[in-house]
Amino acid sequence: MPFFTPIGGGAEPTTITEVRRTTGTSFTVPAGVKLILTTWVGGGGGGAGSGATSGGGGGGGEVKRQTFTVTPGDSIAYSIGSGGAVSSNGGATVFNSVSAAGGVGATSSAGGASGNGNSGGSSLTGPRRGGGGGGAGGVGGAARTSPVSGGIGGVGLYGLGGGGAGSCDDTGTTYITASDGGASQYHNAYTANATNATANTGGGGASTSATTGGPPTGHGLGANGIVIINYFS
């Protein structure tokens, strides 16, 4: 099946150009282009946790994909949603007046929901384990007792909008990695091992639960959104 069918039939162009926008406010349609395929994602929600709490992973941003009929020289407005800080929601990414919602910030009791409403997993206490954030393509996993771990972040769509994984502060427990959202955190002798979501994926932030003190500085942040435009030439 072709990437998309040219309007009016005829020979299918062979060169696909991809434009990735993480900043800016507008896209100008190049000469000869009449149709574009755009994928965009809202900012990811931030992971939760401060002090001795169960930290849920942040929810991934909503992912939109749509074709638009365009005219060369058209200027199409967009805005990029920011990733959420700890326990804060991500911002919406808007392309051609169509909005992709940001992910929801996590709490100590559950991972945040994704921007399109996939729920985050539930957290546990005693010992503390956080639920995974919901992803654009699926719900977040609940914290587990066997094996002992935080919840897995929900999957994204097209590699975007994955939920952040939940924390686990059990000594010696391996923390959860994530392909789209942030990897989780665990504590071994009070050493934090959290990561943020990959930049400009709309992924949810890893949880930032800590057994003492506050969250590690700079961790648990949701990723900013992105606009990806493909066209034939």
Side-chain angles (χ1 to χ4, degrees):
M1 179 178 293
F3 186 65
F4 48 70
T5 303
I7 296 175
E12 183 178 343
T14 57
T15 301
I16 298 174
T17 299
E18 180 176 279
V19 177
R20 302 173 72 89
R21 293 290 177 88
T22 59
T23 60
T25 58
S26 66
F27 169 75
T28 301
V29 179
V33 174
K34 296 182 179 179
L35 196 68
I36 61 175
L37 174 66
T38 305
T39 306
W40 64 110
V41 58
S50 179
T53 63
S54 300
E62 180 180 18
V63 177
K64 296 278 193 181
R65 174 169 280 188
Q66 187 173 335
T67 56
F68 297 91
T69 302
V70 295
T71 300
D74 281 351
S75 180
I76 303 175
Y78 66 84
S79 60
I80 304 295
S82 298
V86 173
S87 295
S88 297
N89 297 346
T93 294
V94 181
F95 183 82
N96 199 30
S97 299
V98 181
S99 179
V104 176
T107 68
S108 62
S109 60
S114 67
N116 59 322
N118 289 326
S119 62
S122 58
S123 300
L124 294 171
T125 59
R128 294 170 291 277
R129 299 182 291 277
V139 299
R144 296 180 292 180
T145 58
S146 180
V148 175
S149 71
I152 298 172
V155 298
L157 289 173
Y158 318 117
L160 303 168
S167 70
C168 183
D169 70 359
D170 289 29
T171 299
T173 300
T174 302
Y175 68 99
I176 297 171
T177 60
S179 57
D180 301 327
S184 71
Q185 169 184 318
Y186 77 106
H187 284 270
N188 188 340
Y190 307 109
T191 300
N193 292 277
T195 70
N196 298 321
T198 303
N200 297 111
T201 61
S207 59
T208 58
S209 175
T211 52
T212 59
T217 301
H219 290 274
L221 308 180
N224 293 343
I226 192 172
V227 171
I228 304 171
I229 303 163
N230 290 272
Y231 60 86
F232 282 123
S233 57

